[in-house]
């Protein structure tokens, strides 16, 4: 009975992996050009090849990673990212296998299958993390290594004392020693840590938080600094026009239309933001519009005049200005207007910063962006300690200094953040980050828009460590209290066996609570 209860309890702690694995076992509808009577054929997801064109009906799971070929799709990604709201996807957007189509049916092109899909990589990371031993488990293993031979010695000693000193029958003395061995079996000690780690990392995965090692959860305890990159991390990367300064009033009436016409030819995030801002201005008729990477856009109007919008590099020597703008608009190389842009803070950034302060964790902004922009973002987010215009090696040095004062976590998404992410006690990256950043981090947030998941990760780390300590206390307390009772002959070996199994169930049951308990 004890073994049955223990087996069922252990299964409960691994439901996260099983639920993720079930998402992979779906069928797909493949569109075959050589089929004449029917448009699609049904195949298992394992038979999909990159390049296959698939049809996904409303309510079906997306069978693999791919690219959307239809104009629109509405996708529930909660099973992978933890994001509760459905996400709208447009043509050419990336789709993740295992997610659910909530909108109308659509076509997609398979880009990654099998072990190369995002879901497979998530499952692999979770398995590796659940197998990782945190330092507190290593302590438990060391104690068990001493505990076992000590108990064997005590049981042997008790047998001889009972038989030779108290003159108990050999059978009775042997029963007392057997009861000691059975009741002190350190199964509960061995289960105390891995079951809690498995439950904690499983819950994190369901929330869209990938943790790369069991030891990472323990590191969250006692954090002193939380360092943030700016663009794309604290801010969402969507820019808005903060200020438009007209230098030459003669062309003020045309500026919106010209900017709209130039930027609609670019796919840069800033260009898209400008198009949205000036959407009320009909685009001017420009010809020969071209983009020069790192400089800006150029176009020619009907009268042969050349318009340029870009960085300071487009300015001619006689058009230099003392004002400092993000973008400059010129006509025939003469300055017409200057634009200042503002990167919008993520909606939950202030909430997270406020919570970190309450928890005694100091938020720090560490960015390579200009001083004035970093100061503005820090002020909006409520961060008092910030550093601007930092090169990657300077970020690395800052992190090293902070670590001397206390545990430091770094949140970033760019290539220039990778060294700092690796240097920090905990590196936290976003799902839309560069490969270098995700490789260097120990925690990845699958929903890049939800910074508040950092709070969930910290709380899960704390509660996982608390659960491990509770489990170890119960295991040690139980053995310490039961061994003397067994030595005195007050415990039958069969009762001891049941009690020992019951202690395992209690330890595992406490770990299972981590899957559901409120994170306070």
């Amino acid at each position: 009975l004890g073994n049955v209860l223990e087996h069922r309890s252990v299964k409960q702690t691994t439901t996260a992996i099983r639920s993720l694995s079930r998402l992979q076992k779906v069928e797909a509808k493949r569109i075959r050009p050589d089929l004449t009577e029917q448009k699609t054929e049904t195949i298992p997801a394992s038979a999909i090849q990159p390049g296959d064109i698939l049809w996904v009906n409303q309510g079906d799971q997306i069978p693999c990673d791919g690219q959307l070929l239809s104009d629109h799709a509405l996708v529930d990604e909660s099973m992978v990212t933890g994001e509760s709201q459905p996400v709208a996807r447009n043509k050419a957007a990336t789709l993740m296998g295992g997610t659910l189509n909530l909108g109308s049916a659509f076509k997609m092109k398979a880009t990654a299958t099998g072990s190369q899909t995002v879901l497979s990589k998530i499952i692999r990371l979770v398995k590796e993390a659940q197998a990782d031993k945190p330092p507190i488990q290593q302590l438990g293993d060391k104690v068990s290594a001493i505990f076992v031979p000590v108990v064997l010695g005590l049981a042997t000693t008790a047998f001889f004392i009972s038989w030779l000193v108290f003159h108990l029958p050999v059978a009775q003395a042997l029963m007392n020693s057997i009861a000691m061995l059975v009741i002190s079996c350190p199964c509960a000690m061995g289960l105390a840590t891995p079951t809690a780690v498995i439950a904690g990392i499983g819950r994190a995965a369901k929330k869209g938080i990938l943790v790369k090692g069991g030891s990472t959860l323990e590191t969250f305890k006692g954090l002193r600094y939380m360092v943030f990159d700016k663009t794309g991390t604290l801010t969402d990367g969507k820019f808005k026009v903060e200020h438009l300064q007209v230098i030459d009033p003669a062309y003020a009436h045309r500026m919106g239309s010209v900017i709209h016409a130039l930027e609609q030819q670019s796919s840069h995030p800033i260009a898209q933001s400008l198009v949205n801002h000036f959407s009320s201005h009909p685009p001017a008729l420009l010809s020969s519009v071209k983009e020069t990477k790192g400089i800006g856009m150029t176009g020619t109007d009907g009268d042969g005049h050349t318009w340029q919008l870009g960085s300071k590099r487009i300015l001619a020597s006689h058009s230099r200005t003392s004002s400092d703008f993000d973008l400059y608009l010129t006509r025939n190389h003469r300055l017409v207007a200057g634009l200042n842009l503002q990167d919008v803070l993520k909606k939950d950034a202030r909430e997270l910063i406020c919570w970190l302060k309450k928890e005694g964790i100091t938020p720090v902004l560490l960015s390579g962006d200009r001083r004035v922009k970093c100061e503005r973002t820090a002020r909006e987010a409520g961060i008092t300690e910030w550093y601007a215009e930092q090169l990657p090696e300077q970020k690395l040095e800052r992190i090293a200094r902070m670590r001397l004062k206390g545990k430091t976590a770094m949140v970033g998404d760019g290539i220039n953040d990778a060294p700092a992410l690796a240097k920090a006690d905990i590196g936290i990256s976003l799902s839309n980050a560069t490969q270098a950043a995700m490789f260097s981090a120990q925690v990845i947030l699958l929903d890049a828009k939800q910074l508040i998941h950092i709070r969930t990760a910290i709380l899960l780390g704390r509660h996982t460590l608390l659960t491990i300590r509770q489990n170890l206390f119960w295991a040690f307390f139980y053995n310490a209290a039961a061994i003397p009772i067994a030595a005195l002959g007050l415990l039958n070996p069969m009762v001891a066996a049941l009690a020992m199994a019951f202690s395992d169930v209690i330890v595992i049951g406490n770990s299972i609570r981590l899957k559901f308990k409120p994170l306070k």
Side-chain angles (χ1 to χ4, degrees), residues 258-269:
V258 170
I259 293 172
H260 189 173
L262 289 170
E263 295 302 291
Q264 70 179 359
Q265 303 296 324
S266 173
S267 59
H268 193 280

Side-chain angles (χ1 to χ4, degrees), residues 18 33 35 80 83 87 96 98 154 199 204 236 258 269 280 390 392 438 443 464 477 482:
R18 291 203 306 277
L35 294 177
V80 176
E83 169 58 48
V87 181
M96 286 186 288
L154 287 175
D236 61 10
V258 170
S280 60
Q390 298 289 296
M438 286 194 285
V443 177
T464 300
F477 172 80

Side-chain angles (χ1 to χ4, degrees), residues 345-513:
L345 205 64
K346 284 183 178 175
K347 59 183 179 181
D348 55 3
R350 294 188 191 90
E351 181 184 353
L352 175 63
I353 299 302
C354 183
W355 181 83
L356 289 173
K357 289 180 176 179
K358 289 180 181 178
E359 295 297 310
I361 302 172
T362 303
V364 180
L365 177 62
L366 189 62
S367 174
D369 208 347
R370 291 189 302 152
R371 181 181 180 85
V372 62
K373 287 180 173 279
C374 290
E375 183 178 10
R376 183 192 303 137
T377 300
R379 185 172 59 251
E380 288 184 7
I383 297 175
T384 55
E385 185 176 348
W386 54 272
Y387 304 94
E389 301 175 6
Q390 298 289 296
L391 298 173
E393 56 269 24
Q394 292 174 313
K395 288 187 175 184
L396 199 62
E397 186 179 343
R398 292 282 182 190
I399 294 292
R401 289 179 186 175
M402 291 179 195
R403 288 189 66 193
L404 294 176
K405 301 176 184 177
K407 283 186 182 178
T408 302
M410 169 75 186
V411 189
D413 67 333
I415 293 176
N416 61 333
D417 297 321
L421 288 169
K423 184 70 174 177
D425 293 289
I426 301 177
I428 303 174
S429 182
L430 311 178
S431 61
N432 60 356
T434 61
Q435 291 294 321
M438 286 194 285
F439 180 80
S440 302
Q442 291 83 46
V443 177
I444 299 174
L445 306 182
L446 292 179
D447 186 355
K449 296 180 180 179
Q450 297 286 330
L451 273 183
I452 203 67
H453 284 329
I454 292 175
R455 178 177 66 185
T456 305
I458 293 173
L459 290 175
L460 265 176
R462 291 177 181 176
H463 279 270
T464 300
L465 187 59
L466 176 63
T467 301
I468 292 172
R469 287 175 173 169
Q470 291 171 342
N471 289 348
L472 288 174
F473 170 78
W474 168 255
F476 284 120
F477 172 80
Y478 170 83
N479 284 321
I483 287 175
I485 297 174
L488 293 173
L490 302 177
L491 205 58
N492 183 283
M494 288 184 289
V495 176
L498 182 61
M500 183 271 293
F502 183 66
S503 73
D504 294 348
V505 173
I506 288 180
V507 165
I508 299 169
N510 189 46
S511 296
I512 292 173
R513 284 178 56 244

Side-chain angles (χ1 to χ4, degrees), residues 3 18 21 63 91 247 312 316 320 328 332-333 360 415 452:
N3 284 335
R18 291 203 306 277
S21 297
K91 189 172 184 177
I247 307 297
K312 209 165 190 173
R320 296 292 175 184
Y328 299 83
N332 295 332
H333 305 293
I415 293 176
I452 203 67

